[in-house]
Amino acid sequence: MAVLGIDIGGTKIAAGLVTAQGEVLAREQIPTAVELGPQAALERLGGLVAELEARAGTKATACGVGAPGPLETRTGVVLEPPNLKTWWGFALRERLAARLGLAVTVENDANCAALAEARFGAGRGVGTLVYLTLSTGVGSGVVVDGALLTGERGFATELGHTTVDLNGRLCGCGLRGCLEALCSGTAIAAQLEEALANGERSSLAAPVTAAQVVDAVRAGDALAGRVWAGAMAALSAGIGNFITAFNPGRVVLGGGLTAAGALLFDAVRTQAPSRALPVLARGVEIVPAALGADVGVLGAAALCLPARQSTTR
Ligand SMILES: [Zn+2]
């Protein structure tokens, strides 16, 4: 038995046939070609699925799809993801189900990654997990007793847009002092550039990337060190809040910013527990994500795999 996992992104669509144990039997990817629109992508995807099934020697019994939010998961309609403009309002679940002749489940990509880590990656062995992806933005997913926390209307969770500084920087979402506005890769680079524009001195010159800020911290640049420390304090406050809110066994951090390694993990492991109620902070592990490039396909597939078969609990 295998299910189909499809991960739709702004530049590529990845698909794989996945067993209940999380083994990817066959995988392939195609360009999204946003300019050609969603129906054209679905047509090419149909051919790709037939090829994957032939290669694996088995037919898919169901299909899970991860796609950029915001997403109306109950109806499977794509709302307004900034990097998929031609897909806005597209009835993804209905159209894909018709094309493939399979039941289709749709979920936002950060939730899919959280579920993949919970079932097959760094979250194995714990029932409740908070997942954060730290890259250009801050995405999140919360798994409770092996199942995704999706909320009343399916939009949970958006932990990157919780407030950690009442009067903090303006976020792309319109709110102020969001976690994403303080510790995403984009925000870290922007804060360093803002300090440079204010005449502060650094070994860096604008424009900068978060990776350059990390390198400068390691090289002893004082301004980079201060910006990084501020970002880690904000991230730790956020993680502390989530520990208090959800009582996770583990907090899993993924995304490009985690390439900073010990510089990031040492900071949050030291500071986050002191931002949570002590009884909840005790024993929580903060660990790096364990799944590589297959995380999107595995998470999408996990949407239609029964939790019991694929967890170690
Ligand atoms: Zn925000």
Side-chain angles (χ1 to χ4, degrees):
M1 177 253 192
V3 299
L4 193 60
I6 298 175
D7 178 27
I8 298 175
T11 55
K12 65 177 171 59
I13 299 175
L17 267 175
V18 181
T19 68
Q21 289 71 40
E23 187 192 348
V24 183
L25 298 175
R27 60 169 73 70
E28 198 60 71
Q29 63 181 53
I30 54 174
T32 309
V34 177
E35 69 284 0
L36 301 179
Q39 196 58 46
L42 256 49
E43 289 309 318
R44 287 182 294 133
L45 198 50
L48 186 71
V49 169
E51 190 189 317
L52 289 173
E53 288 179 331
R55 221 191 289 165
T58 184
K59 293 260 182 202
T61 55
C63 175
V65 182
L71 196 66
E72 181 69 59
T73 52
R74 304 280 156 90
T75 57
V77 173
V78 177
L79 296 181
E80 297 173 356
N83 57 355
L84 282 179
K85 287 217 162 108
T86 57
W87 292 55
W88 289 12
F90 184 63
L92 175 60
R93 187 177 74 187
E94 195 179 291
R95 299 288 190 86
L96 189 60
R99 179 68 183 83
L100 299 178
L102 290 171
V104 172
T105 308
V106 175
E107 188 50 80
N108 86 59
D109 45 15
N111 274 357
C112 286
L115 194 59
E117 289 292 343
R119 300 269 179 91
F120 309 121
R124 273 187 299 181
V126 299
T128 298
L129 158 150
V130 171
Y131 170 82
L132 296 177
T133 173
L134 310 165
S135 62
T136 52
V138 175
S140 70
V142 175
V143 174
V144 179
D145 292 334
L148 271 175
L149 181 69
T150 54
E152 183 70 18
R153 293 172 54 218
F155 294 123
T157 57
E158 290 288 353
L159 300 181
H161 300 285
T162 54
T163 307
V164 286
D165 181 353
L166 291 180
N167 301 304
R169 299 180 74 245
L170 196 59
C171 184
C173 74
L175 298 174
R176 207 166 261 291
C178 292
L179 195 56
E180 177 166 305
L182 296 166
C183 72
S184 66
T186 311
I188 288 169
Q191 287 169 99
L192 195 125
E193 289 176 357
E194 286 160 15
L196 290 175
N198 285 335
E200 296 198 48
R201 296 169 67 90
S202 166
S203 57
L204 295 168
V208 301
T209 64
Q212 288 172 328
V213 176
V214 168
D215 288 343
V217 175
R218 291 208 176 98
D221 184 274
L223 177 58
R226 205 186 75 215
V227 166
W228 182 258
M232 292 304 102
L235 178 57
S236 298
I239 292 173
N241 290 341
F242 310 148
I243 290 171
T244 301
F246 300 111
N247 187 23
R250 218 167 277 159
V251 176
V252 177
L253 304 181
L257 199 65
T258 58
L263 202 57
L264 187 148
F265 283 94
D266 288 353
V268 296
R269 283 172 182 150
T270 305
Q271 296 176 49
S274 66
R275 294 286 185 180
L277 268 187
V279 67
L280 289 144
R282 217 165 289 141
V284 181
E285 300 168 293
I286 302 175
V287 301
L291 300 173
D294 278 334
V295 64
V297 163
L298 284 170
L303 295 172
C304 40
L305 290 171
R308 218 161 6 97
Q309 287 184 16
S310 49
T311 60
T312 55
R313 285 179 89 217

